[in-house]
């Protein structure tokens, strides 16, 4: 196992309402020194959750929302922040109700994914939701989100859709499809 670099200095060099930019001065085991910058959450982060919600054995729920990072309306999976004191599965069900209008009788934590570990500290918990029923909670979104669906058989074409660009969501869909196939619940 590799030895992690030694942190020589650490400083917050910029802040916004949501993020801090932290500068890290590091010395690697071979003596090379480098300065890295990374986005870190402002001290109140409790994590985030992304939900692969299965409408049936073949179709997963997609939501459409405005994304400030790309300045476009994009398709993705329901997702959101975990509230203080809330566990991952409760957050997943709440976000699914707020964003897509569904609850789930079965929720299962699948994995944890990062977006860009080279410069972001944030990670997201991926949850599989099955046995859905209609139920809506009011959320904090500025406008209602569009709700769509995707067949797990069409993931390669989804990756070509210019309105679906989030790599974590695509990875989560493939992971869910593989798990459901192994369990005999999805037949490719």
């Amino acid at each position: 196992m590799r030895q992690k670099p030694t942190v020589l200095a650490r400083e917050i060099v910029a802040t916004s309402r949501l993020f801090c930019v932290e500068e890290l001065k590091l010395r690697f085991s071979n003596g090379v020194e480098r300065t890295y910058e990374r986005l870190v959450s402002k001290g109140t982060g409790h994590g985030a959750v992304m939900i692969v919600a299965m409408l049936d054995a073949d179709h997963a729920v997609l939501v459409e929302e405005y994304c400030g990072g790309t300045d476009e309306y994009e398709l993705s999976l329901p997702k959101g922040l975990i509230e203080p004191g809330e566990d991952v599965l409760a957050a997943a069900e709440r976000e699914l109700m707020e964003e897509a209008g569904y609850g789930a009788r079965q929720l299962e934590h699948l994995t944890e994914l990062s977006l860009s570990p080279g410069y972001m500290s944030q990670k997201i918990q991926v949850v599989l939701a099955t046995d859905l029923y209609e139920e809506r909670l009011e959320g904090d979104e500025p406008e209602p989100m569009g709700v769509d669906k995707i067949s797990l058989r069409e993931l390669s074409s989804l990756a070509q859709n210019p309105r679906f660009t989030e790599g974590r969501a695509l990875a989560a869909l493939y992971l869910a499809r593989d798990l459901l196939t192994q369990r005999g619940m999805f037949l490719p």
Side-chain angles (χ1 to χ4, degrees), residues 23-115:
E23 182 179 86
L24 295 171
K25 294 184 190 270
L26 304 172
R27 179 179 300 123
F28 288 81
S29 60
N30 63 359
V32 173
E33 292 184 11
R34 286 286 193 301
T35 300
Y36 281 63
E37 289 183 350
R38 67 182 188 160
L39 286 176
V40 294
S41 296
K42 290 186 114 172
T44 59
H46 299 281
V49 63
M50 174 179 282
I51 307 100
V52 179
M54 298 301 299
L55 290 165
D56 55 38
D58 184 39
H59 294 90
V61 173
L62 295 178
V63 293
E64 180 187 48
E65 69 178 316
Y66 176 77
C67 297
T70 60
D71 189 28
E72 298 288 343
Y73 280 90
E74 300 224 4
L75 293 168
S76 190
L77 295 173
K79 61 187 166 300
L81 296 176
I82 299 170
E83 300 291 334
E86 189 175 43
D87 76 14
V88 169
L89 299 182
E93 183 158 40
R94 177 184 50 74
E95 287 293 341
L96 183 59
M97 289 179 186
E98 289 176 2
E99 295 192 356
Y102 290 100
R105 290 182 186 89
Q106 293 194 18
L107 295 158
E108 177 182 355
H109 182 260
L110 296 183
T111 194
E112 177 180 78
L113 296 174
S114 63
L115 181 59

Side-chain angles (χ1 to χ4, degrees), residues 117-128:
Y119 68 93
M120 294 177 73
S121 64
Q122 294 83 6
K123 295 184 180 179
I124 198 162
Q125 306 304 314
V126 178
V127 172
L128 176 64

Side-chain angles (χ1 to χ4, degrees), residues 13-26:
V13 295
T15 61
S16 76
R17 184 176 54 84
L18 297 175
F19 299 105
C20 296
V21 177
E22 182 179 51
E23 182 179 86
L24 295 171
K25 294 184 190 270
L26 304 172

Side-chain angles (χ1 to χ4, degrees), residues 108-168:
E108 177 182 355
H109 182 260
L110 296 183
T111 194
E112 177 180 78
L113 296 174
S114 63
L115 181 59
S116 294
Y119 68 93
M120 294 177 73
S121 64
Q122 294 83 6
K123 295 184 180 179
I124 198 162
Q125 306 304 314
V126 178
V127 172
L128 176 64
T130 55
D131 197 6
L132 303 185
Y133 57 93
E134 289 187 22
E135 176 128 3
R136 180 163 296 284
L137 286 177
E138 187 168 332
D140 59 359
E141 290 75 21
E143 63 183 357
M145 298 175 81
V147 179
D148 205 343
K149 64 182 178 180
I150 182 69
S151 168
L152 295 183
R153 290 174 171 73
E154 299 172 0
L155 296 183
S156 59
S157 65
L158 181 63
Q160 303 304 315
N161 185 333
R163 292 180 47 231
F164 185 93
T165 64
E166 186 171 10
R168 297 177 305 177

